[in-house]
Amino acid sequence: MMLKMIQTELSGPLNGTVHIPGAKNSSLAILAAACLADDIVKLEGIPTIEDVRVIADISRDIGMGFRQEKGQVIIDPRWIHSATIDPGKASNYRASYYFAGALLAKFGKVTIGFPGGDDFHARPIDQHMKAFRALGAEIQLFNDYYIVEASVLRGATIYFDTITSGATINAMLAAVRAQGVTRLHNAAMDPEVVDTAAFLNLLGARIFGAGTDSIRIEGVPYLNGGAYSIIPDRLIAGAFLMAAGLRGGRITVKDVIPEHMGTCLAKLEEVGLQVECGENHITAYGTGRLRATRVRTGMYPGFATDLQQPMTALLLNAGGKSIVTDRIYPKRFAHVPQLRRLGAEIELRKESAFITGGRPLQGGWVHATDVRAGTCLIMAGLTAEGRTNITGIEHIERGYEDVIGSFKSIGAKLSMVEMDREEAYPYVSKSAHQ
């Protein structure tokens, strides 16, 4: 059996243009939200990634039409006949929980497996459950699945105990066709929340205040079909802009919304990159000298937790001491032992990584445990002497449409290769368990 992996080599300054696809996190929510419609929905900007392929499978299982045609995904929810989601498929990606909120009002009962995807040890769905119960649902928990059931959903006032984008969106989905008015307090303000609300409002929902910490949803009895374009992926855009600083290059990301990236761009300028923004593009210039800094993740509009891993790869090239703190997902540091295998000097203390930058990296075998960790390891591999072999690329493919082509387009030296699994096992086993 063959093992697929990404192989990188030391690259010079990265220069060029990258077109940014639709946002993964918006796409996963909006594809599930389309279940709420009573007519055909056409979506543009949906990326061709593994998570979307899983949604296509789930859609076919429950009777929802799902086809891709001329750059569009066309959803037909009129013939959905089931609200039972295969636990195995639900566990393949984290955002499967959106099907619970989207199908509950139509069917009154949803059976679904627990969410999977990236494992950061602490991705609870208790706030989702809290919202469903507040709207009148009962929940039964089993080993690998749960059942959400409600004969009638009624509007409620919900105070989230912590800011969570996923639960905010799921509560909106469940409340859109509930009877009466629902108010969400301490709601997430992410662009992906606003995007989902804008999509639902296009179909006839009445959602007010998305993008603030208080959202009001007036329930409606039905939703129309319609056509909608997904916002660009600010997280992929941020990672490519960071890549401009690895060796003093110049990278332009196109089809972006600069207003969604304010905190990221401010931090890039703080570490020594120059940034220029247009109406729908951003260019980052690496000056060749990077400054050490401190990064703390926060819920939007703070510095995104999804960008702390690629930011760590960038800071390995900044002389001095940098500190990256992630209180959103304090366990999201599986990339650190992998970077140490390449010679990085990083110390972990609780929710912080202490980085001594400017140390030369040497190629080796590393393993990606999630999408953003994979981006981080690719960036580190491009600055390491010799060859770096990255396994676990199925995680990278969950979030990137064509990671090889995108990095090659800016001059990176990398390729997809295959190796006999038995031959690779000694290296893979060691890296995957460190």
Side-chain angles (χ1 to χ4, degrees), residues 412-428:
K413 296 180 180 177
L414 78 170
S415 58
M416 190 81 72
V417 299
E418 290 187 345
M419 179 179 286
D420 183 88
R421 190 174 290 272
E422 289 187 9
E423 183 181 342
Y425 178 76
Y427 307 102
V428 176

Side-chain angles (χ1 to χ4, degrees), residues 274-292:
Q274 296 177 6
V275 176
E276 293 180 2
C277 294
E279 186 176 340
N280 64 353
H281 68 272
I282 305 169
T283 300
Y285 305 82
T287 60
R289 294 189 62 184
L290 296 174
R291 295 185 288 271

